[in-house]
Amino acid sequence: ADLSALETTTEADIAALVVLQAELDAAEALLAAHIADTGNPHSVTAVQVGAQPVDATLTALAALNSTAGLVEQTGADAFTKRALGVAAGTSVPTRADADARYQGLDATLTALAALNATAGLVEQTGADAFTKRAIGVAAGTDILTRADGDGRYDTLGSAAAALTAANTYTDDELAAYDDDAHTWASAQTFTVAPVFTDQSGSRTALGLASGTYTPTLGNIANVAASTASVCRYMRIGDIVTVTGRIAIDPTAATTQTDVSISLPVASAIAATTDCAGVANSQAIGVGVIFGRATDDTALLRFTSTAVVSNENWYFTFMYSVL
């Protein structure tokens, strides 16, 4: 090769080049090592060093302030915080907060919560069992208000209570209050004359009756004449009590005398014991009364005295309605 164009290179120059080359080689080795080092942030990827890529969600989270609370996502890459506790309606209570603020689960409350929306008064019918009663008077199971009671019943015992013509009282209703347990607390004012109706038909249906009658007499034995007067009777159930007076004129002295007395309430007298009573005459003495099955009457029997005269007999007897 033609080396005439080359400049003359000294030995010192060659030595310097050798040193420079060695330094370049060292620098190149350091650079290669630096590039291969994962701790080098200049040339490695985020994956190499385990770093998180830039993300809008994380950016939004990073923007939250330092106020204490629970992080709530309200939309895409949108966040806010809710306070713990019960200070505000938007707060989130802890269990301790809830225990202090709310009623614990209870079987009784669960049963009450199951009631429907029907209006009425709640009635407990058993353990953790409830139903409702309607208010009013439509059914026998309803509960009355005071206004319902005032409209349905008469108010008794109030001072100067005004009773108008619209109030009709039966003798049975008045009798129900004519005892020691029911009395007028003060004078009652009647603005107009009230109407009292006779309920004798209803009383008879219940076995209750009273009244007067003039019995039919039968001159059965040793009777010249007999005269009946108005007598009184009272029936309770199947038992009738009769009181009254009749006049009897015997035919003969010291002789058994019989007079039959008709009954105010018919009865099929079957035995003497179905009727029993006594009679008394001041002039003659005592007579007995018993049942007469022949004609379903009561029979008054006595013995006439030595002096025969027309005498009054006062009597009382009871019999069964058969």
Side-chain angles (χ1 to χ4, degrees):
D2 184 5
L3 299 177
S4 61
L6 295 174
E7 294 181 358
T8 302
T9 303
T10 66
E11 186 176 344
D13 291 334
I14 294 172
L17 289 171
V18 171
V19 172
L20 179 59
Q21 184 64 50
E23 290 176 351
L24 290 173
D25 290 342
E28 184 178 4
L30 289 174
L31 180 59
H34 182 70
I35 293 173
D37 185 3
T38 58
N40 172 23
H42 303 295
S43 61
V44 297
T45 65
V47 175
Q48 286 178 305
V49 296
Q52 174 67 47
V54 175
D55 183 84
T57 300
L58 297 180
T59 301
L61 286 169
L64 290 172
N65 61 27
S66 60
T67 303
L70 299 175
V71 176
E72 175 189 7
Q73 184 168 5
T74 58
D77 304 325
F79 299 89
T80 187
K81 291 182 183 177
R82 284 186 180 270
L84 284 171
V86 292
T90 56
S91 298
V92 178
T94 64
R95 196 198 73 178
D97 293 329
D99 288 348
R101 186 176 181 83
Y102 304 116
Q103 173 68 46
L105 184 63
D106 182 83
T108 300
L109 297 180
T110 300
L112 286 169
L115 290 172
N116 59 28
T118 303
L121 298 175
V122 176
E123 175 188 8
Q124 183 165 8
T125 58
D128 304 324
F130 298 89
T131 187
K132 292 182 186 176
R133 284 185 180 268
I135 298 175
V137 295
T141 56
D142 290 353
I143 302 298
L144 281 67
T145 64
R146 196 198 74 177
D148 291 329
D150 290 350
R152 186 176 180 84
Y153 306 105
D154 295 319
T155 303
L156 300 178
S158 59
L163 301 180
T164 67
N167 295 309
T168 300
Y169 300 91
T170 67
D171 49 359
D172 287 341
E173 290 170 337
L174 292 178
Y177 287 91
D178 187 19
D179 56 38
D180 293 337
H182 301 85
T183 58
W184 298 99
S186 59
Q188 304 301 303
T189 300
F190 293 79
T191 57
V192 296
V195 178
F196 301 98
T197 62
D198 181 12
Q199 297 295 305
S200 58
S202 298
R203 293 198 307 273
T204 301
L206 295 173
L208 303 175
S210 62
T212 60
Y213 82 114
T214 301
T216 299
L217 304 180
N219 301 329
I220 306 302
N222 194 44
V223 178
S226 60
T227 305
S229 300
V230 176
C231 299
R232 295 167 180 81
Y233 72 93
M234 177 177 63
R235 175 180 179 176
I236 301 177
D238 290 331
I239 302 299
V240 180
T241 300
V242 183
T243 62
R245 184 194 71 180
I246 60 176
I248 303 175
D249 185 6
T251 302
T254 62
T255 303
Q256 175 180 303
T257 305
D258 293 343
V259 175
S260 65
I261 306 171
S262 66
L263 305 178
V265 180
S267 177
I269 301 297
T272 57
T273 53
D274 292 336
C275 175
V278 294
N280 182 275
S281 171
Q282 185 175 1
I284 299 176
V286 178
V288 296
I289 298 176
F290 50 88
R292 175 179 162 86
T294 303
D295 53 4
D296 298 325
T297 60
L299 184 71
L300 168 57
R301 173 173 290 176
F302 63 94
T303 300
S304 60
T305 61
V307 178
V308 176
S309 62
N310 188 40
E311 299 291 343
N312 287 324
W313 287 84
Y314 295 89
F315 64 87
T316 180
F317 65 87
M318 300 175 67
Y319 67 93
S320 298
V321 177
L322 304 171

